[in-house]
């Protein structure tokens, strides 16, 4: 079974509008972390936002927010006021297991990504 | 920006030749990772390290070996490159919390 599922291969949004990129995950761990990364056409992986499984508040970073619904096992990325520079591939990823200190800490499992295109 | 560099950034090689990719960090982080990125697969973990001389296999480790003799350097070796190892390779580091990626190495095996 897929551990991270991104069901939207491609999304389109008008400039200045908000867009939600979907991510669902599967884990039996109680402690885990969820990440979103942006990959522009230049190829680098840019960290956007992180949500820990025990965090009660949804994570926010500027125009990015993570809509964390634990019971549904979803961690959708919301981008407000889209800009042309937001056009890129977006990856959701999960880190399972205990906190830093263990030997297997930090291994990420990625979804297949969503290509976001922002139209002027 | 996290201090991670990868070298080389681009490499073309022939089937059967050995290849070593280097990841260098200036953050003194304990954990380092090698991923590969292929169309339709997202990023997949090859090997990782949880300290100097401490390494373990990831999801797609066949055909790869790693070494970490210093905190700052994590090497990925393809002993005998094959065309299926044509990919983009990313190194990543974490000290806890966020995980940051290097700029990537594009490897082509002819």
């Amino acid at each position: 079974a897929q551990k991270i599922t991104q069901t939207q291969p491609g999304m389109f949004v008008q400039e200045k509008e908000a867009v939600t990129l979907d991510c669902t995950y599967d884990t039996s761990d109680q402690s885990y972390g969820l990440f979103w990364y942006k990959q522009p056409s230049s190829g680098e992986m840019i960290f956007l936002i992180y949500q820990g499984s025990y965090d009660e508040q949804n994570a926010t970073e500027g125009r990015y927010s993570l809509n964390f619904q634990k019971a549904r096992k979803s961690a959708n990325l919301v981008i407000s006021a889209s800009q042309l520079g937001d056009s890129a591939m977006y990856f959701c990823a999960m880190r399972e297991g205990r906190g830093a200190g263990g030997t297997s800490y930090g291994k990420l499992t990625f979804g297949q990504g969503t290509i976001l295109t922002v139209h002027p | 920006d996290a201090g991670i560099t990868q070298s080389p950034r681009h490499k073309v090689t022939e089937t059967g030749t050995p290849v070593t990719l280097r990841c260098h960090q200036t953050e003194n982080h304990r954990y380092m990772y090698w991923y590969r990125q292929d169309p339709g697969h997202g990023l997949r973990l090859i090997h990782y390290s949880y300290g100097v001389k401490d390494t373990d296999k990831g999801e797609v480790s066949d055909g790869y070996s790693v070494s970490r003799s210093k905190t700052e350097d994590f090497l990925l070796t393809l002993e005998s490159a094959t065309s299926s190892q044509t990919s983009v390779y990313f190194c990543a580091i974490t000290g806890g919390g966020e995980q940051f990626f290097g700029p990537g190495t594009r490897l082509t095996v002819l």
Side-chain angles (χ1 to χ4, degrees):
Chain A
Q2 293 268 21
K3 287 200 169 185
I4 294 283
T5 303
Q6 294 181 252
T7 57
Q8 307 153 315
M11 286 286 285
F12 296 89
V13 66
Q14 207 70 28
E15 193 178 9
K16 298 180 185 176
E17 292 186 350
V19 63
T20 297
L21 305 183
D22 294 342
C23 174
T24 57
Y25 60 92
D26 182 27
T27 182
S28 56
D29 284 353
Q30 296 301 308
S31 176
Y32 52 91
L34 296 154
F35 300 74
W36 277 93
Y37 289 87
K38 172 184 178 182
Q39 187 176 43
S41 58
S42 52
E44 69 267 36
M45 293 288 289
I46 302 169
F47 167 77
L48 295 179
I49 198 165
Y50 166 78
Q51 177 89 39
S53 58
Y54 293 117
D55 295 339
E56 294 185 354
Q57 304 255 347
N58 284 345
T60 60
E61 291 285 351
R63 293 186 299 109
Y64 304 108
S65 60
L66 200 153
N67 184 1
F68 182 46
Q69 297 189 35
K70 199 168 183 176
R72 290 187 173 188
K73 294 189 174 178
S74 75
N76 299 339
L77 177 70
V78 180
I79 305 174
S80 63
S82 297
Q83 301 172 356
L84 296 178
D86 293 335
S87 293
M89 175 77 89
Y90 288 81
F91 289 100
C92 179
M94 177 173 64
R95 179 188 67 216
E96 295 177 277
R98 297 183 177 183
T103 57
S104 63
Y105 178 75
K107 298 185 291 180
L108 296 185
T109 303
F110 283 81
Q112 295 193 357
T114 297
I115 299 174
L116 176 66
T117 304
V118 181
H119 289 303
Chain B
D1 289 343
I4 316 170
T5 56
Q6 292 183 230
S7 59
R9 295 292 314 280
H10 301 271
K11 186 169 182 68
V12 179
T13 191
E14 294 189 349
T15 299
T17 59
V19 176
T20 296
L21 308 183
R22 179 184 183 233
C23 176
H24 179 78
Q25 61 148 329
T26 58
E27 306 296 319
N28 202 34
H29 283 336
R30 175 183 176 187
Y31 299 94
M32 298 184 75
Y33 313 85
W34 277 107
Y35 294 87
R36 60 178 287 174
Q37 182 178 23
D38 305 291
H41 289 280
L43 278 80
R44 293 178 292 173
L45 182 66
I46 305 171
H47 280 280
Y48 63 100
S49 171
Y50 47 93
V52 173
K53 294 194 166 79
D54 293 322
T55 64
D56 206 346
K57 296 179 180 180
E59 178 189 354
V60 289
S61 59
D62 287 349
Y64 302 95
S65 62
V66 290
S67 65
R68 191 168 177 201
S69 58
K70 298 185 288 185
T71 298
E72 56 266 35
D73 288 326
F74 192 31
L75 304 180
L76 177 71
T77 298
L78 292 67
E79 299 290 348
S80 177
T82 67
S83 58
S84 64
Q85 294 175 311
T86 292
S87 187
V88 179
Y89 292 86
F90 286 97
C91 175
I93 64 173
T94 186
E98 298 93 340
Q99 186 164 131
F100 297 101
F101 284 77
T105 294
R106 184 173 295 275
L107 176 67
T108 302
V109 183
L110 301 176

